[in-house]
């Protein structure tokens, strides 16, 4: 079928889709990387962050316990607690930002577009919304979410099961030891879940890429229309070429009076040669044509009384090897020089 979307998208179609913000992207990748980065940070800096939290509590319980409660003292205390909390949370926020940006960059590269933010009535169309909710894609997303919950719950259970004996003995341990063990166990569960989510997010990205490629497929007619649009309408292109040929012919006719000789085939080719020993190192082709254009050049040459000389091999060689405005090549220079010498002698006889 002519309208069947069976062809891969062209580079132009991909570029247009990217400008509109339509790219293969999984929201799971940044989320998994942020979670992984956060728990890696806790595994390396957790003890230091805990010490800072405890130091903050010690300071406030020791220094602020006898603080006189006034509006100014409460404001100062609030500002201090806020600043300390900000310093404590800053590394986590930076890691989340870096890993979030990285998660998007590895998928789509650098892209900034406001196209998805534009107001479109179809976005609030209840019928379109209902179709999206009850579509096959929504069902797939639901199954993915359920699968993710099952896998994450299973991974968490495995980590807890491995530490089950130690968990039962926590009642006999000190509070500090218990808290430290639970913190370590939490980090282990977080890292395990993050790695699993990262693996699932890669699978989700591959699925999203497959869906995206399917959504931007083109029909053969779409490709033809795009080529026509990029290359221009054939009718307009032919008119432009015709105009260019006309302008080129007009320029040749204007330069034709400067010619010293017109070398012909005699009917198929016409080559006009100009040579000025004082300003030119070699003879130059100032006009040339084939068939109908050659006939026009010869008619104009007759009106201008330009000497015409028939030399089939030379005319054919010049036409195929030289462009208008080029000098005669070395391999043809001897033959052209003989023609010019004959013309100069001829003109001398006429005088």
């Amino acid at each position: 079928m002519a309208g069947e979307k069976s062809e891969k998208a062209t580079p132009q179609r991909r570029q247009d889709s990217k400008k509109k913000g339509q790219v293969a992207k999984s929201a799971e990748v940044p989320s998994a990387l942020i979670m992984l980065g956060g728990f890696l940070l806790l595994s390396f800096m957790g003890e230091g962050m805990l010490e800072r939290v405890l130091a903050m509590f010690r300071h406030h319980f020791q220094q602020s316990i006898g603080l006189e409660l006034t509006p100014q003292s409460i404001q100062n205390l609030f500002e201090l607690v806020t600043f300390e909390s900000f310093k404590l949370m800053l590394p986590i926020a930076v890691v989340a930002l870096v890993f979030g940006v990285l998660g998007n960059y590895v998928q789509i590269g650098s892209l900034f577009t406001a196209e998805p933010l534009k107001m479109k009535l179809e976005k609030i169309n209840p019928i379109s919304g209902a179709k999206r909710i009850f579509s096959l894609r929504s069902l797939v997303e639901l199954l993915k979410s359920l699968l993710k919950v099952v896998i994450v719950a299973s991974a968490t259970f495995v980590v807890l099961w491995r530490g089950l004996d130690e968990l039962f003995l926590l009642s006999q341990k000190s509070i500090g030891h218990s808290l430290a063990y639970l913190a370590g166990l939490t980090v282990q569960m977080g890292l395990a879940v993050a790695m699993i989510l990262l693996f699932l997010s890669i699978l989700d990205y591959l699925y999203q890429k497959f869906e995206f490629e399917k959504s931007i497929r083109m029909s053969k007619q779409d490709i033809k229309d795009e080529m026509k649009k990029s290359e221009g309408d054939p009718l307009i292109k032919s008119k432009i070429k015709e105009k260019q040929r006309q302008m080129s012919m007009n320029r040749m006719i204007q330069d034709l009076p400067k010619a010293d000789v017109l070398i012909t085939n005699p009917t198929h080719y016409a080559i006009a040669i100009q040579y000025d020993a004082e300003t030119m190192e070699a003879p130059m082709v100032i006009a040339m044509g084939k068939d109908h254009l050659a006939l026009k050049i010869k008619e104009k040459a007759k009106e201008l009384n330009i000497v015409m000389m028939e030399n089939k091999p030379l005319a054919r060689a010049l036409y195929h090897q030289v462009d208008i405005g080029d000098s005669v090549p070395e391999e043809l220079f001897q033959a052209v020089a003989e023609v010019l010498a004959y013309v100069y002698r001829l003109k001398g006889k006429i005088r």
Side-chain angles (χ1 to χ4, degrees):
M1 295 177 62
E4 184 180 356
K5 307 286 186 179
S6 57
E7 307 299 317
K8 289 185 177 180
T10 61
Q12 181 63 42
R13 177 65 177 271
R14 295 179 185 277
Q15 186 66 25
D16 293 341
S17 298
K18 190 172 183 179
K19 289 179 180 178
K20 297 177 182 178
Q22 300 172 355
V23 290
K25 175 186 173 184
S26 171
E28 306 293 338
V29 175
S31 302
L33 285 176
I34 290 173
M35 186 174 183
L36 179 62
F39 278 101
L40 284 175
L41 178 68
L42 290 175
S43 65
F44 287 108
M45 300 179 58
E47 292 185 8
M49 295 176 70
L50 177 61
E51 286 298 325
R52 291 173 61 183
V53 172
L54 293 176
M56 184 173 65
F57 276 100
R58 290 192 194 101
H59 171 78
H60 292 300
F61 279 115
Q62 294 174 2
Q63 303 295 329
S64 304
I65 194 68
L67 184 68
E68 184 181 356
L69 297 180
T70 65
Q72 186 61 42
S73 64
I74 292 175
Q75 180 180 344
N76 294 337
L77 181 61
F78 178 77
E79 291 176 354
L80 180 61
V81 172
T82 302
F83 180 67
E84 291 295 331
S85 301
F86 174 77
K87 288 197 300 182
L88 188 65
M89 298 301 297
L90 183 60
I92 298 177
V94 171
V95 168
L97 177 62
V98 171
F99 277 77
V101 172
L102 178 65
N104 285 288
Y105 183 79
V106 295
Q107 295 183 86
I108 60 177
S110 56
L111 172 63
F112 178 79
T113 176
E115 187 69 25
L117 302 178
K118 290 183 178 179
M119 182 62 182
K120 296 180 180 179
L121 293 178
E122 61 187 37
K123 292 183 178 180
I124 58 176
N125 187 340
I127 298 178
S128 300
K131 289 181 178 179
R132 287 194 296 269
I133 293 174
F134 299 102
S135 64
L136 177 61
R137 186 181 183 87
S138 298
L139 179 60
V140 172
E141 293 296 328
L142 175 61
L143 293 176
K144 280 167 44 184
S145 299
L146 293 176
L147 178 63
K148 185 165 63 174
V149 169
V150 171
I151 294 176
V152 168
S154 301
T156 305
F157 176 78
V158 170
V159 174
L160 289 174
W161 184 262
R162 291 175 59 186
L164 190 61
D165 294 338
E166 185 68 23
L167 283 173
F168 286 138
L169 295 175
L170 287 182
S171 60
Q172 304 172 17
K173 306 292 183 180
S174 65
I175 295 178
H177 180 274
S178 299
L179 291 177
Y181 177 78
L182 290 176
L185 194 63
T186 302
V187 171
Q188 289 181 32
M189 287 190 293
L191 289 174
V193 170
M195 294 299 295
I196 292 173
L197 290 180
L198 183 60
F199 175 73
L200 294 177
S201 68
I202 295 174
L203 296 181
D204 183 61
Y205 171 72
L206 296 176
Y207 169 74
Q208 297 295 340
K209 188 173 180 63
F210 169 76
E211 286 292 317
F212 174 73
E213 291 293 334
K214 188 168 65 173
S215 68
I216 62 172
R217 282 179 186 170
M218 305 172 68
S219 65
K220 290 183 172 60
Q221 185 61 44
D222 291 335
I223 296 177
K224 290 180 181 179
D225 293 341
E226 184 181 282
M227 292 180 62
K228 184 183 294 185
K229 183 179 179 180
S230 61
E231 296 178 0
D233 191 290
L235 182 60
I236 297 177
K237 288 178 64 178
S238 64
K239 290 183 178 180
I240 292 175
K241 288 183 178 180
E242 180 62 30
K243 188 67 176 179
Q244 291 173 340
R245 285 194 293 268
Q246 186 65 34
M247 293 173 63
S248 176
M249 187 179 70
N250 291 339
R251 284 196 299 269
M252 288 192 299
I253 297 300
Q254 291 175 1
D255 292 338
L256 199 57
K258 303 175 185 178
D260 293 304
V261 63
L262 186 69
I263 302 174
T264 63
N265 193 20
T267 56
H268 294 294
Y269 302 103
I271 316 295
I273 302 294
Q274 177 192 8
Y275 181 61
D276 186 344
E278 296 181 358
T279 60
M280 298 180 181
E281 295 182 358
M284 183 175 66
V285 175
I286 61 173
M288 63 191 308
K290 181 180 178 182
D291 297 333
H292 179 69
L293 183 56
L295 181 61
K296 284 185 172 293
I297 293 174
K298 287 192 288 185
E299 290 176 354
K300 188 64 177 180
K302 288 180 181 178
E303 296 178 10
L304 298 171
N305 294 320
I306 297 174
V307 177
M308 288 185 286
M309 184 172 181
E310 180 181 334
N311 189 326
K312 296 180 181 180
L314 181 57
R316 189 180 297 109
L318 285 170
Y319 185 85
H320 291 293
Q321 297 183 32
V322 186
D323 291 327
I324 298 173
D326 291 347
S327 298
V328 174
E330 293 183 5
E331 60 268 22
L332 299 177
F333 185 81
Q334 181 64 34
V336 173
E338 292 175 359
V339 171
L340 289 173
Y342 170 77
V343 171
Y344 292 152
R345 288 195 301 269
L346 184 62
K347 288 183 177 180
K349 291 179 180 180
I350 292 175
R351 290 174 186 170

